Amino acid sequence: YQRRVHGELQELRRKFDDEMEKLEAIQEDCMNRERKITLRERRVNDKESELLEKESQLQEKEEELDHRDQQLSDKMEGKQKQISVAEQKQAQKAKNLEKLQRQLAAAQRELVSNQDQLTNQEEDITKKKKKKKKKKQHK
């Protein structure tokens, strides 16, 4: 009976040891899986952080581009105003030139008229002198 009990006890110990080995293997497997999961989580977190950093950089670049765009817009608007002012000045100069040309033409007409009058007066004077000479000669 003792031998049989002793044999059963040894059999139970062997089964217990086998079960313990299985349990340890399962625990080891769980720990390995846990390590893998932890590594994956770290990689995911690293990637997430990297993506957030890239998103932040992109947002900064976008803001910088918006700022540059606004500067260019403002600069272009300023240039457009300068062009508009220059065009207005050019139009005013053209009007002034036209006015001066009309005044010049009027002055030239007046000059021609004055020259004609002067010529007529000279002719009159010459005729009067000739008449006086003729009268003196007749006397």
Side-chain angles (χ1 to χ4, degrees):
Y1 170 79
Q2 258 185 338
R3 277 189 216 143
R4 189 172 50 96
V5 169
H6 185 69
E8 285 177 8
L9 184 60
Q10 280 184 334
E11 181 65 23
L12 285 174
R13 279 191 183 143
R14 191 183 54 74
K15 284 182 180 178
F16 177 78
D17 287 343
D18 287 347
E19 289 300 317
M20 282 302 284
E21 281 180 27
K22 286 179 186 175
L23 182 60
E24 285 173 0
I26 289 171
Q27 282 179 328
E28 184 70 28
D29 187 47
C30 285
M31 285 170 49
N32 285 337
R33 287 181 183 192
E34 214 173 277
R35 272 190 232 112
K36 285 180 183 177
I37 289 171
T38 302
L39 286 174
R40 281 187 191 139
E41 285 175 346
R42 279 190 201 146
R43 281 195 294 257
V44 165
N45 288 339
D46 290 347
K47 285 288 184 187
E48 198 173 88
S49 294
E50 191 179 310
L51 286 173
L52 288 172
E53 179 61 29
K54 284 183 179 180
E55 186 178 346
S56 174
Q57 289 173 354
L58 283 174
Q59 192 171 357
E60 285 176 20
K61 285 184 179 182
E62 189 175 313
E63 288 171 4
E64 186 180 317
L65 286 174
D66 286 347
H67 180 68
R68 282 186 189 171
D69 187 41
Q70 186 60 46
Q71 283 180 327
L72 286 174
S73 257
D74 293 347
K75 191 174 181 180
M76 206 148 107
E77 191 176 312
K79 292 289 183 190
Q80 198 60 43
K81 285 180 183 176
Q82 286 178 343
I83 289 170
S84 179
V85 166
E87 286 173 344
Q88 288 173 352
K89 284 181 180 179
Q90 191 67 29
Q92 188 60 45
K93 284 180 182 180
K95 283 182 183 177
N96 292 344
L97 179 61
E98 213 174 281
K99 184 178 175 182
L100 287 172
Q101 286 172 335
R102 284 194 306 269
Q103 288 175 349
L104 177 62
Q108 286 173 333
R109 285 191 302 271
E110 190 177 339
L111 179 62
V112 168
S113 173
N114 289 343
Q115 285 175 336
D116 287 345
Q117 285 178 0
L118 185 59
T119 303
N120 289 339
Q121 287 173 356
E122 286 175 349
E123 287 175 1
D124 287 348
I125 290 171
T126 306
K127 285 179 185 176
K128 285 180 184 177
K129 281 184 182 179
K130 284 183 182 179
K131 280 184 184 179
K132 280 184 182 179
K133 277 186 181 179
K134 283 185 180 180
K135 281 184 183 180
K136 282 185 180 180
Q137 285 175 356
H138 286 293
K139 287 184 176 180

